[in-house]
Amino acid sequence: MADDLNTPLLDELEKGPWPSFVKDIKSLAGKKEMAKDLLRQLEKSYEDKRGYWKHGGLVGVMGYGGGVIGRYSALPDEFPGVSHFHTLRVNQPSGWFYTTEALREITKIWDEHGSGLTNMHGSTGDLVLLGTRTEELEPTFRALTEKGWDLGGSGSDLRTPSCCVGPARCENACFDTLAINYNLTHQYQDELHRPMFNYKYKIKISGCPNDCTAAIARSDMGIIGIWKDDIQVDAKAMAEYVDSGMDIQGLVVENCPTGCIGMDGKEINIDNSNCVKCMHCINVLPKALSPGKERGAAITLGAKAPIVEGALFGSVIIPFMKIEEPFEEMHDLIERIWEFWDEHGTSRERIGEFIERVSLATFLEGIGEKPLPQMIKAPRDNPYVFYEEYFAEEGEGGK
Amino acid sequence: MATEVERKTDIGPPSYEQFLHPIIKENYGKWKYHNNLGPGVLEHVGETGSIFTVRVSSPRLVSTNFLNMIMDLADKYSDGYFRFTSRNNIEFLLANKDNIEPLKQEVEANGLLVGGTNNAISNIVHTQGWVHCHSAATDASGLVKSVMDELAEYFTSEKLPAKLRVAVACCLNMCGAVHASDIAILGVHRTPPKIDNQTLPNLCEIPTTVASCPNNAIRPTSIEGKTTVKVDEDKCMYCGNCYTVCPAMPLADPLNDGVSIWVGGKICNARSEPMFTKLAIPYLPNNPPRWPEVTSAVKKIVEIYADNAKPYERVGEWINRIGWPRFFDMSGIEFTKYHLDDFRHAGTTYRRSLHNRY
């Protein structure tokens, strides 16, 4: 079918047990010139050990500043099928749940308007439609919105928020990750579609400290489930684990990071005042243990990859807050953060770099939050304190 | 104004509720626990019943043909309901336990693998590479395919000490955010940008370009009366941030671009705190289509880890227990000056105690 391709290096990747993207793209080559030339250009990259895509390109759909990534081949004469190869980021449903009925509408639109290639999904969470021509962008957008789909973010805007499977299929979800993800995405459509921030702002939402969306590493703002009270114990299920001969001492007790678990026969004793909610015991004993009842989320800010000032994990800004509809407390927090960052951040400065530059103390003051010991690993170990209160001789005015 | 169908904007994504299986809707927020029914198969037990998950590999870069094949299987076995995971696995959500085996057989007949749960290697999170990106130092899809062909047995089994998360990013921008993975494969440039002084004055804003460099290596200069920039090559660490803001400063260099290997990162809070990945191998050559140097290096790290870590110990936790000197001894990886950090806060990685093993 695709004999005229002449891609011997890529053909090598049709072999082996892992599913082959080459075989898959070839399945489109019969009907899509785009797929053919993509393979041909990729073969050339494999020969020459370099990419052949131009840098960016300002394309989009009317009225939006984000959601489309312009891409042009650097060798359009040689590979005309991919002279334009733009990407549309389609905002995924919360938790990446689909019905075949709904997704078939998208595959049909994409067969008609684009290359037929997708990423399920992009790193930020979007359903990525990979490769189309400039003149197809607006018709694709219209067809998508007709069926109830919209674009996600790109550039210096709110990036498409994403969340874990949450209460839809996980017993550890400490709040409704899907509902707040849906709410925030709809609440901030303008910020999502029209880049007006200093730089990108990613929100990731995980229902417990297992953090399946990698919020602590990959999001400017992480909303991560946590609880405050005691781990719930099902004594009968616990006794069954003991009776099964499982090495509870070795696998659970000795792996507790604060040593707050003890066994008394078939009974588990947890010193909850010293529990750091790491999830290990709950993960190993899912039938017997579950998060407490007083549930909410910790909010982290500032995670990012290395560019520019080095990689950062998010750090705790709000140690605990309730996450409940209609989520107004969260809207208020987000808007206070954006306002201060917008006012004082510099161009292409992520929120994590911004906080490091202005200091956490200044940032907290700026957003109207009080410093708390849960926000740090340890107090400062240097004496360079900017004292703001001091006494003055009478008549000279102190502060 | 509108002549035909009104143009809609800012409608946001559709509600997830319409995509939830009836059993999921009934038990939403009421799941009690889950059972592991073997590699790739989970049972979540709720108040009114169970939902069975069958997790399946995916190259992430998939065609509509691929998706239609997946959807045919979902129509046949899971009432049309399915989802994707944060690591791009496909999950079929089954009401009927009897459908698990026939679904698995048909998945495998279609060239896919069932697995990726618990103490397994899950799908590799990765980036676009030469398939779609202008700044890639290597390909992503081909690397992932080559590595997973070698490691497939760790996807379809649960024989590792703990879960093992592998990620690929094709340059330091790290769209794949590989900085917190058990094993990270990172494309690297190793030479400074090549400045196109003809196009730069028209394409790039000089102050933005100068400011983009974290090491202040870029300075404005004038060539034939036109303002352009020069790079102090001794200060350049090839991060590519200048290229992001200035297209006239490409870094691609087929002779020198390649791949580095990083180990020991984690995201979840279980037992130990989240950790960054640390440099294991500074450079391996780009050798498409199979990258044999990369696949054998990754496989070796996985095998040493599998043989030596304790149950539930992630790669980073295992290395912290045995110490980095032992990791380099056991893996046979050469320790070089490139392993010594020289960026911001480098000193925090120096040994500031006598806690060494001899």
Side-chain angles (χ1 to χ4, degrees):
Chain A
M1 178 176 64
D3 289 342
D4 59 328
L5 282 170
N6 191 23
T7 52
L9 292 174
L10 290 177
D11 296 351
E12 190 57 38
L13 293 175
E14 292 189 65
K15 302 166 192 163
W18 194 252
S20 167
F21 70 100
V22 174
K23 208 183 274 181
D24 186 30
I25 300 175
K26 278 192 179 181
S27 79
L28 286 174
K31 51 181 178 180
K32 293 276 184 193
E33 202 54 39
M34 237 177 201
K36 275 189 191 175
D37 269 352
L38 180 68
L39 286 168
R40 289 182 183 127
Q41 180 172 314
L42 190 59
E43 178 75 9
K44 186 170 172 61
S45 285
Y46 274 46
E47 282 166 11
D48 299 348
K49 303 183 183 183
R50 58 159 301 164
Y52 284 107
W53 298 103
K54 276 191 199 165
H55 187 300
L58 286 175
V59 290
V61 299
M62 241 189 331
Y64 280 22
V68 180
I69 314 299
R71 188 65 71 219
Y72 298 92
S73 171
L75 305 168
D77 298 334
E78 211 173 325
F79 308 109
V82 288
S83 57
H84 296 199
F85 200 65
H86 310 318
T87 288
L88 291 113
R89 292 184 180 162
V90 180
N91 198 325
Q92 83 288 359
S94 283
W96 299 287
F97 280 93
Y98 294 94
T99 57
T100 53
E101 191 189 349
L103 192 60
R104 278 187 208 281
E105 291 176 345
I106 294 187
T107 56
K108 193 163 162 272
I109 291 168
W110 196 229
D111 279 334
E112 191 179 327
H113 292 283
S115 71
L117 288 169
T118 74
N119 286 150
M120 302 295 287
H121 293 78
S123 290
T124 301
D126 299 280
L127 189 171
V128 176
L129 300 179
L130 204 65
T132 193
R133 299 190 58 80
T134 305
E135 60 272 20
E136 289 292 346
L137 292 171
E138 189 63 28
T140 312
F141 176 69
R142 276 188 178 250
L144 287 167
T145 50
E146 271 310 296
K147 297 292 181 188
W149 299 89
D150 200 346
L151 298 186
S154 69
S156 296
D157 64 8
L158 169 64
R159 297 299 184 85
T160 311
S162 68
C163 69
C164 70
V165 71
R169 203 209 51 201
C170 180
E171 65 270 23
N172 294 328
C174 291
F175 62 92
D176 192 339
T177 56
L178 294 92
I180 191 170
N181 188 63
Y182 181 76
N183 175 281
L184 295 180
T185 310
H186 279 265
Q187 178 77 14
Y188 298 114
Q189 283 289 294
D190 198 26
E191 287 81 356
L192 186 70
H193 290 141
R194 293 167 198 89
M196 47 195 160
F197 289 166
N198 299 312
Y199 207 7
K200 60 185 95 169
Y201 193 90
K202 298 185 180 181
I203 298 179
K204 288 191 189 294
I205 303 165
S206 293
C208 81
N210 283 330
D211 194 4
C212 290
T213 64
I216 196 98
R218 302 178 66 169
S219 66
D220 296 275
M221 181 179 204
I223 304 173
I224 306 173
I226 197 90
W227 68 96
K228 286 176 89 170
D229 56 343
D230 295 356
I231 289 176
Q232 300 184 70
V233 181
D234 180 331
K236 188 165 159 277
M238 192 64 226
E240 282 167 16
Y241 277 119
V242 175
D243 289 340
S244 75
M246 186 179 181
D247 176 16
I248 310 264
Q249 181 66 27
L251 298 179
V252 181
V253 175
E254 288 170 18
N255 271 323
C256 174
T258 59
C260 72
I261 301 177
M263 290 301 294
D264 185 4
K266 293 179 183 179
E267 209 175 298
I268 190 166
N269 295 311
I270 304 173
D271 171 10
N272 279 281
S273 65
N274 274 317
C275 168
V276 290
K277 330 299 184 208
C278 87
M279 293 297 293
H280 177 75
C281 61
I282 296 174
N283 291 341
V284 180
L285 306 168
K287 288 183 186 171
L289 305 179
S290 53
K293 291 177 177 166
E294 196 183 349
R295 300 177 176 193
I299 311 302
T300 61
L301 282 185
K304 55 180 280 298
I307 307 288
V308 182
E309 295 290 330
L312 295 173
F313 279 134
S315 69
V316 173
I317 291 292
I318 307 288
F320 183 86
M321 70 188 278
K322 289 269 182 198
I323 306 290
E324 287 162 346
E325 307 220 35
F327 309 116
E328 279 165 1
E329 207 187 332
M330 182 61 72
H331 301 163
D332 174 62
L333 175 68
I334 288 174
E335 285 158 29
R336 278 185 281 140
I337 291 168
W338 282 349
E339 195 183 338
F340 189 66
W341 178 48
D342 187 49
E343 181 84 12
H344 301 282
T346 62
S347 169
R348 300 191 76 241
E349 185 177 47
R350 298 279 289 269
I351 192 101
E353 290 165 333
F354 172 64
I355 294 171
E356 291 219 334
R357 179 169 63 81
V358 301
S359 88
L360 181 57
T362 304
F363 179 77
L364 290 172
E365 236 169 50
I367 65 167
E369 292 290 333
K370 283 202 165 65
L372 297 170
Q374 286 90 345
M375 296 172 179
I376 52 164
K377 269 190 206 157
R380 72 164 74 223
D381 49 22
N382 68 67
Y384 306 131
V385 180
F386 289 98
Y387 292 105
E388 290 180 355
E389 299 89 12
Y390 55 89
F391 302 109
E393 293 297 335
E394 236 170 276
E396 292 184 11
K399 201 147 94 159
Chain B
M1 207 172 112
T3 51
E4 32 181 275
V5 189
E6 197 191 341
R7 185 174 186 272
K8 294 179 193 167
T9 66
D10 301 281
I11 59 172
S15 169
Y16 55 94
E17 287 176 16
Q18 59 191 296
F19 304 141
L20 301 178
H21 192 288
I23 291 179
I24 286 183
K25 273 195 167 165
E26 273 175 33
N27 292 283
Y28 194 92
K30 299 176 203 159
W31 299 104
K32 293 195 283 192
Y33 60 88
H34 69 273
N35 288 317
N36 180 18
L37 304 183
V41 186
L42 301 169
E43 175 188 15
H44 283 81
V45 180
E47 282 183 358
T48 72
S50 289
I51 191 90
F52 300 91
T53 299
V54 175
R55 186 176 290 180
V56 172
S57 60
S58 160
R60 185 183 86 122
L61 168 58
V62 296
S63 72
T64 48
N65 291 340
F66 179 96
L67 291 174
N68 288 331
M69 176 261 285
I70 293 297
M71 290 192 282
D72 287 344
L73 294 177
D75 281 335
K76 193 164 166 188
Y77 295 109
S78 61
D79 309 311
Y81 294 93
F82 66 114
R83 70 178 290 267
F84 294 83
T85 70
S86 56
R87 301 194 77 84
N88 309 316
N89 302 284
I90 300 153
E91 288 188 338
F92 294 94
L93 301 162
L94 286 64
N96 183 354
K97 194 175 181 177
D98 297 337
N99 278 341
I100 295 173
E101 277 311 312
L103 171 61
K104 279 172 71 174
Q105 283 173 18
E106 237 184 290
V107 161
E108 281 157 15
N110 276 294
L112 305 179
L113 302 173
V114 174
T117 49
N118 292 303
N119 296 344
I121 294 182
S122 190
N123 238 341
I124 296 186
V125 166
H126 63 279
T127 53
Q128 303 287 21
W130 292 331
V131 170
H132 197 258
C133 185
H134 61 287
S135 66
T138 187
D139 191 33
S141 297
L143 260 177
V144 168
K145 163 73 176 151
S146 301
V147 170
M148 283 313 291
D149 276 342
E150 289 292 323
L151 298 178
E153 63 176 301
Y154 294 103
F155 182 86
T156 54
S157 68
E158 296 179 340
K159 60 184 178 182
L160 288 167
K163 60 177 160 184
L164 196 140
R165 298 293 181 246
V166 186
V168 169
C170 42
C171 81
L172 272 59
N173 279 321
M174 281 193 197
C175 303
V178 304
H179 59 292
S181 309
D182 291 289
I183 299 177
I185 302 167
L186 174 66
V188 288
H189 299 292
R190 298 192 302 155
T191 49
K194 284 150 280 293
I195 301 171
D196 182 346
N197 286 309
Q198 294 304 309
T199 60
L200 191 142
N202 298 326
L203 278 176
C204 311
E205 208 184 305
I206 304 290
T208 314
T209 308
V210 169
S212 72
C213 181
N215 278 355
N216 297 317
I218 302 176
R219 291 275 178 261
T221 189
S222 179
I223 293 179
E224 292 165 6
K226 280 186 174 172
T227 308
T228 176
V229 298
K230 63 180 173 184
V231 175
D232 180 345
E233 300 201 344
D234 289 341
K235 282 189 186 170
C236 177
M237 54 187 185
Y238 334 114
C239 73
N241 196 42
C242 56
Y243 181 49
T244 299
V245 301
C246 174
M249 299 180 74
L251 280 97
D253 177 355
L255 257 185
N256 287 293
D257 290 348
V259 170
S260 55
I261 309 288
W262 303 69
V263 297
K266 76 192 267 283
I267 282 156
C268 79
N269 285 273
R271 300 167 306 283
S272 55
E273 293 185 2
M275 292 187 265
F276 284 131
T277 43
K278 314 283 194 296
L279 181 62
I281 305 176
Y283 174 78
L284 292 169
N286 260 335
N287 245 336
R290 280 286 174 186
W291 283 269
E293 296 86 353
V294 177
T295 55
S296 68
V298 171
K299 193 171 187 190
K300 186 160 186 196
I301 294 168
V302 171
E303 285 171 351
I304 294 169
Y305 161 71
D307 288 346
N308 290 283
K310 292 180 179 174
Y312 292 110
E313 219 170 33
R314 298 281 293 269
V315 172
E317 294 171 313
W318 163 62
I319 297 174
N320 281 347
R321 177 168 60 81
I322 65 169
W324 285 96
R326 276 242 0 256
F327 168 77
F328 282 97
D329 274 354
M330 288 171 86
S331 63
I333 295 170
E334 189 192 359
F335 188 80
T336 69
K337 66 176 181 181
Y338 297 123
H339 291 90
L340 309 178
D341 194 356
D342 50 15
F343 195 55
R344 314 268 195 270
H345 315 300
T348 58
T349 64
Y350 302 164
R351 171 74 69 199
R352 285 169 166 169
S353 75
L354 294 185
H355 288 205
N356 260 324
R357 297 163 180 81
Y358 294 97

